[in-house]
Every structure is written in structure tokens, then in C-alpha cells.
Amino acid sequence: MNFPIWDVPLMGGGLLIGFVSILHVFVAHFAIGGGLFLVLTEHKAYRENDMRILEYVKLHSLFFLLVTIVFGAITGVGIWFTISVVSPSATSALIHTFVFAWAIEWVFFFVEVTAAFIYYYTWGKLDRATHLVVGWIYFISGWLSLFVINGILCFMLTPGEWLHTASFWDAFFNPTFWPSLVMRTVVALALAGLYALLTASMIKTDEVRANLVKYSTRWLFPAFFILPIAGIWYNIALPPLAREISMGGAPAVTVFAGLTILLSVLIFVFAYFYPYRQPAKFPAPAAAMFLLLGLMVTGVTEWVREAVRKPYIIYDYMYSNSILVAHKNDYYAEGILKSAKWVTVKEVTEANLHEAGATLFRLQCQSCHTLHGYNGIALMVKGWDEEFIDHQLDNLDQLKGFMPPFMGSVDERHALARWLAGLNRRGAVSIELTEPPARPAAAAEEIEHDR
Amino acid sequence: MIDSLVVVPDADAIGLPAPVWFLKTLLNVTFILHIIPMNFALGGGFIAAVSHFIGRKTGHAHHLMLSRSLSRMLPIAIAFTITLGVAPLLFLQVLYGQYFYTSSILLAWPWLTVIVLLILSYYGFYLYSFRWESLADRQLRVVLTSAILFAVIGFIFSNNMVLMLTPERWMSVYQESPHGVYLDLKDPMLFPRFLHFLVGSFAIAGLLVLIIGMGKLKSEPDYGLWAIRHGIRWFLFPTLLQLGVGTWFLRSIRHDVMLQFMGGDQAATAYLVVGLSFVMITIVLMFLALNSDRPKGLAYAGICTTAVVLVMMSLMRDFVRDAYLKPYFDASEFSVQPQTAVVTLFLALLVISLGVVAWMVRKAWLATHPAQ
């Protein structure tokens, strides 16, 4: 609409965002919980007066630095890059609302990065007390950056009173802020444990390995008790539609939501019986498996969180296809092509029907659907005739609660239905909207040919 | 001026959270803070590679020591390039989002490749730093690869920053392909602009070498003095080269904008004149330092005058941006819905954080430099 729509064949932009953000979330939570792990384990080493534990913390802090400061930080920037090319309108809305929240997060991030480097580079050089203080500064600033980003993330699903007041504080301390903060905090602790299991299971000395494997496993337990309670709390704060989508409204989402719970329970049960009860026998490959399971839970959970937000990208404010809810009714009478930027078809005519249909697909559908790949539309409309598709489009939000309504004039809807109905007839179709000028004539011929 | 084929997205419906001048100040200040470590990392990578090469060929110990010193600095320089880069990217989006997002979309794949290249280049620099001994004769390959990747990132950035200034080309680019596979090689400003940054980074990283030298003056006086002089040479040669590259860059700027620097606009002309004057002053100071037995004071003065040059160059860059976008960008059209409390909180936290960081850095410095 306002911005050009980036066409990512087969995969779709949404999947790309998912890919980058799942990797980032998996590392970023570790960056927070892992900070506390480092400093508390350093305390433990001094308390037990065991230099072998201290050696482990040193090594683990290198691993921590390489994973979080490099991969974690860059993928964080990566999410930004990705969302701004896939959903520029939503990114812009977020930036305009939260630029100073992000600026505050950046301040914490700056402290965090400095503290991480100093913590690592001053092992054995700083006195113990000061070194621990640096560790604590790292963890506190890291957790505060979570505090800030959590408000922005939750806003997208539950903007709450902001919709009426446009106040920053309403946007930030929105209905899911607190339960989400609790959930993310305990997940951060659990991930700290999971990552630590990997490094601890590689310790050569049996006694130290058993000690630290068992100790690392304990970091998973708070999540086991707190996540169910916080999860229910979170669920209550969700908009009714989102709750329904996760609990039966959309089967795929429900299955994934169930999978989140199942995988989490699996991790905790195995963690209790294996590394916790038999820490000496816990090998590194098993730790790697645990970590992989953790990545899967992260992936599935983030996917569900994104999926329940449909049909919006910012709830009740902006639809998934970047059209503002407030503008919805403008397009029924006037049509959407007229006011859309980046399109060459401004009005539906008999001659440009095909091109208009393809353009409308790009404007209204392509943010979630590809043509032949992920969430591919061609397969979905296979076997449907034009009239049926038109009926579906006319009642889209009624028939599929997780989809936005079709927003356009009757002519435009017909054009889209015609184009969709033709997808499977013509075989492989690509949406080349804007070929050189010869194209409209060619498209018209094609339509003639179809008849 | 604007013809019908020029498509520019509308500004966001949500107003700005602070006045334009305030956001612009934050944008320029944080940008300057970002380009210092960026130059250290970009130029420093190449200097490390060159020193490494010379050191190995000639057996010159100081060259090898310098590449070792740089290897320790590069990961930290990159970390702060990224960290300090986040802030200008934020303020750029809030003020110029409709241009920046559009050009990013047109360049989507190359633009996203930056993330992959950055991860590779960063890990390469870590490898160079942490596996110095075990890398043995692969050291040079590793550091050179990382440096080149980092330069490629710079080239992609130049691409985006140039394309965002020329909305008149967007629609035809998008019509050519909506897949975000464009690489903007046609703009006359692109290559001189990129080269200007690249050559500049050698000079600024030369200052890093100089600073390393000053840090070593007491503990290893021979190496310290050598590094100071070597750093000055790294500063001087690219800077002299820059007289040519910079002129090419200036001439490649759209004619009407270029004329603004030639007296057309008072502020623009002042930035250029002050910038060039300080370049000349710096060159003289550095020449004097090069031939002095006690170069420290002169070198400090040179670093300070270079800082003035950096500020002027950044202001010029900002001026070029606004001048290019003038037909499409009117800052007075923004509505402002000030978030005074949040802005105040941000500033307060910034001050506190700077205090905390200063405390940590001081403690770390004292612990790692016990003799001083």
C-alpha cells in the first residue's frame, strides 16, 4: 500500500522473519539468564572454594561472549532489518510509538556489552568483589533490556488502552506486559541452564562435572513451576479471538500450542530423571539434544505467539497486510487500487483484469501467502471456481476469523477471484505485474484465450 | 519537480515523539559515535593484514607486534560499531523511515546479506584474536577475509544510503523486479562515496595505531615510538589521497546540491570550509609529530582536530541528505506528540549508564595497567 511490497517467492517474508527471530530469541534469552548464571556460579566457586568451578565459569564466559555478543546481538539487528523490509508499515508504527523505549533499551544494551567484555577480559585481574559487581551490572542491564523490549513485543498483540488514548505508557504497560515478563524471565533462566548443561557436560573431571551438571539442571525448575501459572495469566489477558485461535479455532495453531506444552514437559521430565538424578552419566551429545529441544520449544512458541495475532499485525490497529483498521471502510466504495502506491493498475477494466487481480493479490494477500510455497494460495484454491472464490472473498473474515476482510470494491474483488480461479488452470503462474508496456495487451489476450 | 512516476510513501500517521531538531541532533551525535569504532574496525582490519604481511615477509618485529595489538582491538571495535550503530539507525527510521524502508526493500536481499556477512566477519576477527597461535600461517587469510567482508558491508550500506536519497529512481527499480535483488551501481555518487569512506577509514584507523603506540611508550618505548610514527603515516597517506577522492566525491554530488557547498548555502559552505581547514591543520600537526622526538602532544592535538573534521563531515552528510530529499521531505509536515516523560527518562538513564560504564572501564583499566 504505502510501501512497495517485497515479493519473496516460495518462502514468503513472514517465514523469513520467523527464522531470524527464533534464532535470536533462543540466544537473547540465554544472554539474560546466562548473565545471572555466570555471576551466581562465580559466587558458588568462591563459596565452595573450588577453583575448578571457577575455571569452568571462565570457559563458559568465553562461550557466552561468543554466542551472545556476536550471534545474539547481530541477529537482533537482523530482526530489525527483516521486519523493516517485510512489514515496513508496522515497523514504522512501532518506531514512532516506541523510539525512546528502544533508545532506553539501547542504553541498557550499551552497558550490557561493555560489562560483558570487562567481565570476560578481567578474569584474574580484577579483585573478586569488583568482578562480581561487573557480572551483576551485566545481568541487571540485560534484564532491563528485556523489560523494555517485552513491552514493545506485547504491544503488538495487546495494545490495550493505547488504541483510545494513544499514550506511550498505555502502549508500554499493556495487558500482557507482566505475565509475559514473568514468562520470559523464567524461560531465560531455563535456557541458561540448558546452555550450561552443554558446557558442563564437557568438563573432564568427573566430580566437578557431576556437581555442575546437577547444578545447571536446577536452573530449569523455576520455569517448570512458574510457566504454567504465568501461562494461564497470559492467556486470560489475551483478546478473546486470539485465545480461541490457540484453543481450537485454527487447528494448526492449536496443535502447535499443544506441542509447546508437550515439548516443555518432556524437557523437564527428562531433565529431572537424567541430568538431575544421574549427573555423572550425562554426556555432551545428550546436552546437545536438550538444547535442540529447547530451540524447538522456542520456535513453536514464538510461532504460536505470532499466529494468534492474526488477522492483525498490531491488534485492532493494523491488519496483517499493513492496512489500517481505521481505513477499512474507505476501500469498499472507492476501491483500493486508486489510492495504492507502487501499482500501475489504478482501476479494474476488462482489458487489465488479469494484472489487476495479480496486483490485488500482492496488496491484500501476499503478506501471508506465497503463490506456490509456504501458505501457498494456488493449492488452497484448487478446485474452487470463480464464483465460489468470490463468495469466500466477500465473507473472508466471517469464514476465517484469522484473516482480514477483503478490502476493495466489488470490481476489484471480482478481478482477484478471476485471477485466483485462473491460477490452477494456467499451471505455473508468476506474478510479474510490471513487465514492460507490452504486458497489458498480452494479459488481455490471455484472458481472451482463457475464455 | 515531482513527476507522476515518482512514488514516495507517506509519513507515518503517528506523530513524532519529540521535535525534529532534537531527533536530528540525536541522529547526528550517535552517528558520529558510531563511525569512530566503525572506522577502527574497517581500516584496522586492513592495517592488521598489511602489517601482518610485511611482518612475515621482512621479519620486522614491530609489524607483527602491531598486527597482534590490532587483533585484540578488532572484536571490541566491531562490538561497539554495532552497539553504537543501533541508535542512529533508530533515529534515522523515525525521521526518514519512508525513504529508508523503501530503499531497503528494493535492496532487500543484499541488505539482509549484511547480517550474514557481519556474523562471518566478526567471528573471523575473533578467530584472529583468540586463535592467534594455532592459526599459524592462516592468520593473514583470516584477517584479510574478515576485512574484505567488512568492506563489502560498507559498500551495501553506501548503496542503501544513496538509493534512499533518490526517490525518482524507485518506481522503475521496483517495476524491474519486486524481489529485492537490486544493487544500485548506477548512481554517480555511489563509488566515490564508498571510496571516500573506505580511504577515510584507513586514516582514522591510523589514529588507532597511533593511540596504541602512545599506550606502549612507557612499557616498550621503541615499539611505542615506532607505532606512533607508523600510525601517523597511515593517517597521512590516505588523507593526501583523500584530497583526490574527496574532490571526486564532491563533484559526483548532484550539481545543484554541490553548488550549495560552494557558497550557495552559508551553513553548507561553512561546514566544508571549516572541515577542509581542519584537515589542513591536522596534516601539518601530523607532519610535525612525525619528525618530532616527543610526538605525543602534537599527536593529541591532531586527534582533536580530526574530531572536528569528523563532525563537519557528518554535518555535510546530513546536509546532502536533506538537500537530495528536499522535493519530497518537509520536516514541518510532521505532527509532534511529545513524549516528554519518556525522553527525560532516556536522558537520565543515559547519564547514569555513562557513569556506570566509566566506573567499570576505570576499574578494568587500573586492574590491567597496574604499573601506571
Side-chain angles (χ1 to χ4, degrees):
Chain A
M1 276 296 290
N2 195 26
F3 288 97
I5 291 163
W6 179 35
D7 185 349
V8 191
L10 299 176
M11 181 164 57
L15 206 60
L16 193 69
I17 294 183
F19 178 72
V20 181
S21 45
I22 286 166
L23 286 178
H24 174 70
V25 164
F26 188 58
V27 173
H29 282 82
F30 168 50
I32 291 149
L36 187 65
F37 180 89
L38 284 173
V39 74
L40 287 186
T41 315
E42 189 185 350
H43 268 297
K44 175 183 160 79
Y46 298 146
R47 200 173 50 240
E48 296 174 16
N49 200 16
D50 191 337
M51 288 308 109
R52 295 171 305 179
I53 296 181
L54 203 63
E55 272 312 304
Y56 163 75
V57 186
K58 267 187 213 176
L59 267 178
H60 187 68
S61 68
L62 172 62
F63 169 73
F64 179 82
L65 189 77
L66 290 177
V67 173
T68 62
I69 297 293
V70 182
F71 195 81
I74 300 179
T75 48
V77 179
I79 292 189
W80 245 16
F81 274 44
T82 323
I83 60 170
S84 63
V85 291
V86 175
S87 308
S89 299
T91 311
S92 176
L94 288 179
I95 281 282
H96 280 78
T97 312
F98 289 116
V99 67
F100 282 102
W102 258 308
I104 290 170
E105 194 217 355
W106 168 73
V107 168
F108 293 137
F109 180 54
F110 178 63
V111 178
E112 197 183 330
V113 171
T114 315
F117 275 116
I118 292 178
Y119 186 81
Y120 174 72
Y121 281 107
T122 58
W123 275 114
K125 290 173 186 148
L126 267 184
D127 63 279
R128 288 180 175 185
T130 313
H131 193 258
L132 282 169
V133 171
V134 173
W136 279 109
I137 290 173
Y138 173 86
F139 168 66
I140 292 167
S141 52
W143 185 81
L144 286 171
S145 70
L146 170 74
F147 186 92
V148 178
I149 199 72
N150 175 61
I152 301 172
L153 285 173
C154 292
F155 165 82
M156 293 167 75
L157 181 56
T158 52
E161 284 302 301
W162 173 83
L163 293 165
H164 313 293
T165 63
S167 141
F168 171 86
W169 300 106
D170 284 333
F172 190 80
F173 291 107
N174 59 71
T176 50
F177 180 89
W178 294 108
S180 169
L181 184 67
V182 173
M183 285 168 81
R184 287 185 183 277
T185 303
V186 290
V187 165
L189 299 180
L191 281 178
L194 277 186
Y195 277 90
L197 270 179
L198 184 68
T199 49
S201 63
M202 293 180 188
I203 298 173
K204 298 269 188 317
T205 329
D206 290 347
E207 184 197 339
V208 186
R209 187 176 65 243
N211 179 356
L212 284 170
V213 163
K214 189 168 183 132
Y215 167 78
S216 304
T217 313
R218 272 193 216 127
W219 284 72
L220 283 116
F221 297 151
F224 188 61
F225 296 106
I226 294 172
L227 267 186
I229 301 165
I232 293 169
W233 180 16
Y234 182 80
N235 218 26
I236 291 171
L238 285 181
L241 176 63
R243 201 159 45 233
E244 284 157 19
I245 287 178
S246 70
M247 293 161 80
V253 184
T254 312
V255 168
F256 271 57
L259 210 57
T260 295
I261 298 169
L262 185 72
L263 284 173
S264 307
V265 171
L266 264 182
I267 291 180
F268 293 121
V269 170
F270 275 123
Y272 179 75
F273 284 107
Y274 198 1
Y276 189 70
R277 296 289 292 269
Q278 300 168 301
K281 291 181 187 163
F282 189 68
M289 277 297 300
F290 266 92
L291 209 54
L292 194 67
L293 274 177
L295 177 63
M296 284 166 69
V297 176
T298 310
V300 173
T301 314
E302 292 294 318
W303 188 85
V304 170
R305 192 180 56 76
E306 288 288 309
V308 299
R309 207 173 54 220
K310 287 179 177 186
Y312 304 101
I313 192 159
I314 298 171
Y315 223 88
D316 287 330
Y317 176 73
M318 187 186 283
Y319 284 113
S320 305
N321 51 19
S322 296
I323 297 175
L324 289 179
V325 175
H327 290 174
K328 178 172 91 173
N329 293 325
D330 301 353
Y331 302 124
Y332 291 116
E334 292 280 305
I336 195 164
L337 290 173
K338 211 177 195 175
S339 55
K341 295 173 187 270
W342 310 102
V343 301
T344 42
V345 181
K346 285 291 178 189
E347 159 178 46
V348 179
T349 63
E350 267 306 302
N352 71 11
L353 216 49
H354 177 80
E355 208 186 344
T359 305
L360 285 156
F361 175 75
R362 180 171 286 170
L363 288 176
Q364 302 243 346
C365 323
Q366 212 177 2
S367 55
C368 300
H369 292 281
T370 67
L371 210 51
H372 298 292
Y374 180 72
N375 218 2
I377 200 71
L379 268 183
M380 289 181 176
V381 298
K382 199 170 181 177
W384 293 5
D385 66 16
E386 193 182 318
E387 251 175 77
F388 185 65
I389 294 176
D390 191 62
H391 172 74
Q392 291 267 333
L393 288 175
D394 196 17
N395 302 285
L396 208 49
D397 52 329
Q398 304 285 322
L399 290 165
K400 298 185 175 71
F402 48 83
M403 288 182 69
F406 174 79
M407 289 165 274
S409 68
V410 176
D411 280 350
E412 289 174 343
R413 202 182 68 219
H414 290 331
L416 178 57
R418 167 79 59 93
W419 185 79
L420 286 169
L423 280 182
N424 291 300
R425 246 185 295 148
R426 276 189 292 272
V429 181
S430 65
I431 19 172
E432 293 302 335
L433 299 182
T434 45
E435 286 288 281
R439 187 75 188 183
E445 263 175 41
E446 210 170 333
I447 290 162
E448 283 304 315
H449 182 75
D450 280 345
R451 291 173 179 172
Chain B
M1 182 96 193
I2 305 173
D3 68 69
S4 60
L5 271 174
V6 181
V7 182
V8 179
D10 299 325
D12 204 283
I14 303 169
L16 296 177
V20 173
W21 67 265
F22 184 72
L23 292 165
K24 222 167 173 6
T25 308
L26 287 175
L27 170 62
N28 284 323
V29 169
T30 54
F31 175 76
I32 293 167
L33 293 177
H34 159 70
I35 55 168
I36 295 169
M38 186 277 279
N39 278 305
F40 285 171
L42 178 59
F46 283 105
I47 295 179
V50 169
S51 280
H52 207 117
F53 180 75
I54 297 175
R56 273 229 313 251
K57 282 281 165 199
T58 63
H60 196 303
H62 287 165
H63 276 286
L64 283 176
M65 284 163 81
L66 176 62
S67 54
R68 184 68 183 121
S69 303
L70 284 171
S71 80
R72 295 199 176 97
M73 302 255 172
L74 289 169
I76 299 174
I78 296 210
F80 283 97
T81 304
I82 298 168
T83 310
L84 295 171
V86 167
L89 197 61
L90 262 180
F91 299 118
L92 178 78
Q93 290 181 69
V94 79
L95 282 171
Y96 300 97
Q98 65 264 49
Y99 316 99
F100 173 66
Y101 293 146
T102 308
S103 57
S104 301
I105 291 165
L106 299 176
L107 299 165
W109 282 115
W111 183 237
L112 294 182
T113 309
V114 164
I115 300 301
V116 180
L117 296 178
L118 192 52
I119 290 175
L120 292 176
S121 155
Y122 200 168
Y123 275 126
F125 280 131
Y126 263 112
L127 207 61
Y128 186 60
S129 175
F130 286 177
R131 288 272 178 267
W132 178 266
E133 276 83 21
S134 59
L135 275 180
D137 52 350
R138 282 169 299 171
Q139 284 166 331
L140 182 59
R141 252 176 287 164
V142 169
V143 68
L144 192 61
T145 309
S146 277
I148 290 171
L149 291 181
F150 210 66
V152 173
I153 293 171
F155 182 70
I156 298 172
F157 261 87
S158 289
N159 248 281
N160 201 350
M161 294 301 120
V162 168
L163 186 60
M164 76 169 263
L165 301 185
T166 44
E168 51 285 351
R169 290 185 303 145
W170 293 344
M171 189 62 185
S172 65
V173 171
Y174 188 61
Q175 280 181 313
E176 230 166 85
S177 166
H179 299 299
V181 289
Y182 187 67
L183 203 56
D184 181 27
L185 304 175
K186 289 178 201 147
D187 193 292
M189 186 163 64
L190 175 71
F191 283 99
R193 185 176 168 127
F194 170 65
L195 215 58
H196 181 66
F197 268 90
L198 186 66
V199 172
S201 79
F202 296 150
I204 302 296
L207 296 184
L208 176 65
V209 174
L210 186 161
I211 293 166
I212 291 173
M214 292 207 276
K216 294 284 180 188
L217 263 185
K218 275 190 187 148
S219 56
E220 294 158 89
D222 275 359
Y223 170 55
L225 197 62
W226 175 85
I228 289 179
R229 292 194 171 138
H230 191 65
I232 292 175
R233 284 193 200 98
W234 265 112
F235 176 84
L236 281 175
F237 287 118
T239 303
L240 293 174
L241 186 65
Q242 199 70 283
L243 296 176
V245 175
T247 310
W248 182 27
F249 178 31
L250 195 62
R251 288 176 59 117
S252 74
I253 294 173
R254 209 173 66 203
H255 194 66
D256 61 306
V257 180
M258 197 258 282
L259 288 181
Q260 311 252 300
F261 288 104
M262 303 289 159
D265 181 277
Q266 278 184 358
T269 311
Y271 300 152
L272 181 66
V273 171
V274 174
L276 281 181
S277 313
F278 272 81
V279 170
M280 296 305 164
I281 295 169
T282 313
I283 290 176
V284 172
L285 285 170
M286 289 298 184
F287 261 119
L288 292 174
L290 189 63
N291 296 305
S292 161
D293 292 330
R294 301 169 72 97
K296 222 172 162 174
L298 288 162
Y300 269 129
I303 291 172
C304 294
T305 48
T306 308
V308 178
V309 177
L310 278 186
V311 172
M312 289 303 135
M313 295 293 151
S314 301
L315 290 172
M316 284 173 74
R317 181 179 176 277
D318 186 58
F319 185 89
V320 168
R321 175 167 50 208
D322 284 357
Y324 265 70
L325 290 176
K326 200 168 185 187
Y328 321 101
F329 179 77
D330 181 4
S332 65
E333 272 178 20
F334 283 120
S335 67
V336 179
Q337 294 152 11
Q339 299 176 352
T340 316
V342 193
V343 175
T344 313
L345 183 64
F346 159 66
L347 293 174
L349 286 168
L350 183 64
V351 172
I352 295 169
S353 296
L354 288 176
V356 171
V357 166
W359 179 83
M360 286 193 295
V361 170
R362 192 184 129 78
K363 285 283 180 188
W365 178 263
L366 291 176
T368 48
H369 295 77
Q372 293 169 22

